[in-house]
């Protein structure tokens, strides 16, 4: 599903590693994970967006930190989820029209997941679709949003409800960009890496355990390895289930409880913090139901804690409200709250090919109780 071309390694002369190849229904695109690639974006743009005009879309924070000196116009918008709207999509699209960007042009999405989703959606719809280069600068955007081709904006009815499938022409990831990421955003991104190990690769989980200090110290080579392995694992799962028939649901591990925690905390928890707590509760649930091998929960909990992620709630949240939020999540029918549960570290419960199974409310409550310290 994803492969690195053979013959070159990260140790080769110029320090450039081979691109990972992400395959999707309409083709494939390369993901470069390369320290310093931000310093040679002009080459990457010429290679993957062609010779036409280029415009960079970036939030103000990232534009100031990492967009200085780029040889293209930079359209800026305020940082944060509040910019992921149809209004901002319209404003940016109009600015591209004013600049006269043509069909042979391209967009560079420089920033976190908000920028990737928003700029990707602008590219998906501008003149019925032009190519874009994704340059993710948060850990979450590097290891999650870089695979799957989903773009879009939020609406008052909920997040990500208007959008398009528009895979990038290429993704360029510079692990050095993470040096400026605030600590809370950095740690939040690590929750998805733990999820990747839990659902797909016990060896990766071992490595995360052994590498926790180097990860938290943001050692460049360690971060590059983490990003590469997580991208490979997500691409393998998505590529094996392009039609979203089943397997892809394993990527929802920790997310049934996680989405409810985000919602009920009124987004006081970041997505990654909520997913960490969700993984704590859902691995306990899996053991309680006899689905997961004993010890799965404790290893997951200990690794999340070692990576500086929350494993208990600082502010209690009522289980009734959490259960109600899970029952109204778009992926669940009422009274049938489904979970993607592990069978053990590195393997998921196939649950008759659906990769999710319902759980009785009493078992869910008992798992949620673990999030409230005695
Ligand atoms: N398309 C997908 O598959 C996918 C997957 C996961 C998440 N998402 C979306 O991504 C969004 C969340 O992503 P996010 O957490 O990256 O949010 P974000 O883009 O808002 O970035 C978080 C904050 O970090 C700042 N920032 C970004 N890079 C920085 C850097 N290198 N140094 C300093 N500051 C930096 C930003 O300005 C912002 O304030 C959500 O909207 C979510 O829906 C999409
Ligand atoms: Zn997630």
């Amino acid at each position: 599903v994803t492969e690195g071309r053979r013959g070159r390694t990260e140790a080769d002369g110029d320090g450039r590693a081979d691109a990972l190849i992400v395959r999707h229904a309409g083709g494939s695109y390369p993901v470069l994970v390369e320290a310093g690639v931000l310093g040679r974006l002009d080459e990457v743009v010429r290679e993957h967006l062609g010779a036409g005009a280029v415009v960079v879309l970036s939030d103000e924070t990232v534009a100031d930190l990492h967009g200085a000196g780029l040889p293209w116009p930079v359209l800026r918008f305020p940082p944060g989820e509040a910019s992921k709207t149809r209004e901002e999509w319209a404003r940016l699209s109009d600015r591209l029209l004013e600049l006269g960007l043509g069909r042979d042009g391209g967009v560079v999405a420089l920033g976190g997941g908000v920028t990737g989703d928003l700029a990707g959606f602008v590219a998906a719809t501008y003149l019925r679709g032009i190519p874009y280069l994704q340059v993710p600068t948060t850990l979450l955007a590097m290891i999650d949003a870089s695979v799957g081709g989903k773009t879009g904006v939020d609406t008052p009815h909920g997040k990500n409800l208007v959008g398009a499938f528009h895979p990038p022409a290429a993704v360029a990831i510079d692990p050095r960009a993470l040096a400026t990421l605030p600590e809370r955003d950095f740690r939040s991104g690590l929750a998805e890496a733990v999820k990747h190990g839990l659902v797909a690769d016990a060896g990766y989980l071992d490595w995360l355990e052994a590498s926790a200090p180097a990860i938290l110290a943001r050692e460049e080579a360690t971060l590059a390895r983490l990003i590469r392995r997580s991208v490979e694992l997500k691409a393998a799962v998505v590529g094996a289930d392009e039609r979203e028939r089943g397997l892809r649901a394993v990527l929802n591990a920790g997310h049934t409880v996680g989405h409810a925690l985000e919602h009920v905390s009124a987004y006081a928890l970041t997505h990654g913090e909520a997913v960490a707590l969700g993984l704590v509760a859902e691995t306990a649930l899996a053991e309680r139901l006899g689905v997961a091998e004993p010890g799965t929960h404790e290893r997951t909990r200990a690794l999340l804690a070692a990576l500086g992620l929350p494993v208990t709630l600082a502010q209690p949240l009522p289980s009734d409200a959490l259960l109600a939020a899970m029952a109204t999540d778009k992926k669940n029918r009422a009274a049938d709250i489904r979970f993607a549960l592990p069978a053990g570290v590195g393997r998921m419960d196939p649950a008759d090919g659906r990769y999710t199974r319902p759980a009785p409310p009493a078992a869910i409550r008992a798992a949620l109780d673990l999030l409230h310290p005695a």
Side-chain angles (χ1 to χ4, degrees), residues 4-199:
R5 270 168 278 135
R6 297 210 179 84
R8 285 161 55 96
T9 70
E10 281 162 62
D12 280 349
D14 54 9
R16 289 182 200 167
D18 291 324
L20 303 164
I21 306 297
V22 173
R23 302 192 189 290
H24 56 83
S28 68
Y29 61 86
V31 177
L32 285 81
V33 182
E34 179 186 315
V37 73
L38 272 173
R40 61 172 201 97
L41 267 193
D42 50 343
E43 285 176 64
V44 177
V45 160
R46 250 182 285 123
E47 188 177 345
H48 296 287
L49 292 182
V54 167
V55 177
V56 179
L57 306 191
S58 188
D59 78 36
E60 284 152 10
T61 304
V62 177
D64 286 344
L65 287 167
H66 299 288
L70 293 176
W72 310 287
V74 180
L75 299 184
R76 301 150 63 100
F77 50 86
E81 190 73 28
S83 284
K84 227 177 90 174
T85 60
R86 285 172 291 202
E87 290 71 25
E88 201 57 50
W89 164 82
R91 193 186 69 83
L92 292 168
S93 300
D94 288 348
R95 294 283 292 120
L96 294 184
L97 291 166
E98 285 158 28
L99 288 169
L101 189 71
R103 271 177 227 289
D104 61 342
V107 162
V108 173
L110 174 68
V114 165
T115 299
D117 283 6
L118 175 63
F121 189 47
V122 169
T125 48
Y126 186 75
L127 305 180
R128 296 196 188 86
I130 60 170
Y132 72 114
L133 175 74
Q134 202 175 333
V135 186
T137 61
T138 65
L139 188 56
L140 180 67
M142 291 175 182
I143 70 173
D144 193 351
S146 60
V147 179
K150 290 179 179 172
T151 74
V153 294
D154 302 332
T155 82
H157 291 277
K159 285 187 53 164
N160 300 322
L161 293 181
V162 172
F165 179 74
H166 187 55
V171 180
I173 298 178
D174 192 340
R176 284 182 196 157
L178 296 176
T180 57
L181 192 65
E183 190 64 22
R184 194 174 177 201
D185 287 291
F186 178 73
R187 291 185 188 206
S188 295
L190 294 173
E192 303 285 351
V194 173
K195 181 193 78 179
H196 293 145
L198 176 69
V199 309

Side-chain angles (χ1 to χ4, degrees), residues 275-301:
V275 168
L277 292 159
L279 288 169
V280 169
E282 293 185 20
T283 50
L285 177 64
E287 286 190 25
R288 183 172 297 267
L289 296 177
V291 168
E293 199 179 305
T296 307
H297 163 73
E298 183 45 34
R299 258 189 94 184
T300 307
R301 195 199 60 77

